[in-house]
Amino acid sequence: MAKLIYSALASLDGYVADRSGNFDWAAPDEEVHAFVNDLERPIGTSLYGRRMYDIMVYWETEGAGDGDSGVSRDFAQIWRAAEKIVYSRTLQTPSSARTRIERDFDPAAIKQLKESSSRDISIGGAEIAGQALAAGLVDECHLFLSPIVVGGGTRALPDDVRVQLELLDEHRFRSGFVHLHYRVRV
């Protein structure tokens, strides 16, 4: 059975975007990006909310050019190889290959996907990940905390959800980022 894994780059105070919707402060350097690539490599399917998909679809056509770093080229290849499911009530057609659109987040369908998948599944986007956490579907969390406090915006983790976590690992990066890897306790 596949694991459902939530990964997010967040400010130290727990936001994936500030009040203006900016997240440029969370851009990973080469060291962090290479670490993220290694976490994404075993993923077979990625689940996205609409806003996260709009950000990530960049990798469908970019990141693999001669002028891009080896880390960017690696991530572009990993992203393009994964199946993608986008949860959106308004998106009519996907802008990337290997992508399908679902209108509603259905916990029973995600549970079935976990049971039938041979490779792990990632979930990206704070809102959709919050729904998965609330439904008890998330098995692991990877939080990359950026050395910045932004004071508000889009929270990385949902309000009104209580989940017990077990710390599996932590890693510090030269840039000041810290990676925290948790297993969700059941």
Side-chain angles (χ1 to χ4, degrees), residues 12 80 83:
L12 184 60
R80 290 176 190 150
E83 297 293 323

Side-chain angles (χ1 to χ4, degrees), residues 18-182:
D18 63 24
R19 285 189 177 104
S20 300
N22 295 322
F23 53 88
D24 55 348
W25 43 264
D29 64 8
E30 293 283 311
E31 181 188 22
V32 174
H33 204 177
F35 192 92
V36 169
N37 289 359
D38 288 341
L39 292 177
E40 291 295 317
R41 209 173 305 286
I43 299 298
T45 303
S46 296
L47 312 179
Y48 294 113
R50 168 69 186 269
R51 287 179 294 229
M52 181 58 77
Y53 176 70
D54 286 345
I55 293 165
M56 296 302 293
V57 77
Y58 165 89
W59 296 101
E60 185 69 10
T61 58
E62 301 295 327
D66 290 338
D68 293 304
S69 71
V71 172
S72 289
R73 287 192 305 274
D74 187 29
F75 186 81
Q77 183 178 10
I78 293 165
W79 193 84
R80 290 176 190 150
E83 297 293 323
K84 292 163 269 300
I85 302 172
V86 181
Y87 296 91
S88 173
R89 292 188 181 94
T90 58
L91 186 64
Q92 296 303 310
T93 57
S95 302
S96 56
R98 305 174 66 106
T99 305
R100 77 173 196 258
I101 300 168
E102 294 289 339
R103 296 294 168 214
D104 296 301
F105 181 79
D106 179 4
I110 302 303
K111 185 175 181 194
Q112 173 60 34
L113 179 64
K114 287 174 61 174
E115 290 171 355
S116 65
S117 294
S118 60
R119 296 181 66 198
D120 287 338
I121 304 160
S122 69
I123 189 162
E127 184 178 328
I128 201 84
Q131 291 178 46
L133 277 164
L137 296 169
V138 175
D139 300 292
E140 293 184 7
C141 294
H142 289 273
L143 298 176
F144 290 84
L145 300 180
S146 177
I148 188 170
V149 173
V150 299
T154 304
R155 295 180 48 77
L157 298 169
D159 289 326
D160 301 323
V161 174
R162 184 180 178 124
V163 178
Q164 290 290 105
L165 303 171
E166 175 187 354
L167 182 65
L168 298 178
D169 193 24
E170 60 84 17
H171 184 87
R172 298 177 200 187
F173 297 92
R174 289 185 300 273
S175 61
F177 267 89
V178 175
H179 167 248
L180 301 172
H181 177 196
Y182 291 100

